[in-house]
Amino acid sequence: HEPAQVLELKPEKSSLYAKTMAKHWATGADMPDVIFEQWIVLTGMVAHVKVRMTHSGTKTHPNIHHELPAVFVEPQYDTLLVYQGTNAWSGDAVHRSKPGWPNASRKFSEHWAAYVNTNDFGVGAFVPVADELTCYRFGDGKREHGSCSYFAPLKRFAITPGLKFEYDVWLTIGS
């Protein structure tokens, strides 16, 4: 419950630019040596998000997985869709699953994932730089506080002094 500090915000007619200081997810501490910039453009039902992370610190952080981005949706979106085959973009059947708790891993050769409900309506993300993801579902939305469905496309890299890492995400809702 600790929001990131907004350094700059520029709304336009169908776009938004935001510059924020990173916040450590576990401690809530500000991280002034890590700045995120996002350019968000809305076209129809698709939000294209360009993200740039700049690390101005002097410390090298280990080569680990990073969430690009973390996607959380309501628990009624309980079926995860990904394409795991070897014939990408061919129209082959997608893999449908209902992840449990705790995290599980998936490969996704078309670089997208979506959570859908019983009517196959849902939320999806396309992240070309990611080849795998982590996912889980917590609770059913009726009894457990904080119930949700979650996935995060992953990319492994080290955060080094002077690093500027950029990536694109396309988000959409629909069938």
Side-chain angles (χ1 to χ4, degrees):
H1 299 349
E2 298 290 332
Q5 182 180 342
V6 177
L7 305 173
E8 190 175 348
L9 192 62
K10 291 182 188 174
E12 302 282 333
K13 184 176 181 178
S14 61
S15 66
L16 178 67
Y17 168 78
K19 184 176 186 178
T20 59
M21 180 188 305
K23 180 78 69 174
H24 192 283
W25 71 271
T27 67
D30 285 334
M31 299 173 64
D33 59 351
V34 180
I35 301 298
F36 282 97
E37 295 175 275
Q38 296 180 358
W39 294 262
I40 306 168
V41 177
L42 185 60
T43 305
M45 299 295 286
V46 176
H48 174 205
V49 184
K50 178 182 172 116
V51 179
R52 177 186 300 144
M53 182 205 73
T54 304
H55 177 245
S56 62
T58 58
K59 184 178 179 186
T60 296
H61 299 271
N63 183 7
I64 61 170
H65 281 119
H66 298 275
E67 298 173 322
L68 306 178
V71 178
F72 290 89
V73 296
E74 294 295 323
Q76 66 266 26
Y77 299 95
D78 62 355
T79 303
L80 181 68
L81 306 180
V82 297
Y83 179 74
Q84 297 178 314
T86 57
N87 198 13
W89 306 110
S90 65
D92 286 353
V94 298
H95 181 262
R96 301 172 73 91
S97 64
K98 293 194 181 200
W101 179 263
N103 289 49
S105 296
R106 303 276 192 283
K107 297 286 186 186
F108 64 149
S109 49
E110 290 181 341
H111 314 286
W112 65 266
Y115 263 114
V116 297
N117 63 15
T118 56
N119 298 318
D120 277 345
F121 182 89
V123 177
F126 172 57
V127 184
V129 299
D131 295 321
E132 60 183 304
L133 61 82
T134 185
C135 57
Y136 65 72
R137 283 188 28 76
F138 173 75
D140 60 9
K142 296 178 178 90
R143 294 178 295 276
E144 295 91 357
H145 176 71
S147 294
C148 67
S149 296
Y150 153 89
F151 72 83
L154 300 174
K155 180 76 175 173
R156 180 180 284 275
F157 60 93
I159 297 177
T160 57
L163 176 70
K164 284 190 180 187
F165 181 77
E166 295 184 10
Y167 67 98
D168 292 282
V169 178
W170 285 264
L171 299 161
T172 193
I173 61 171
S175 297

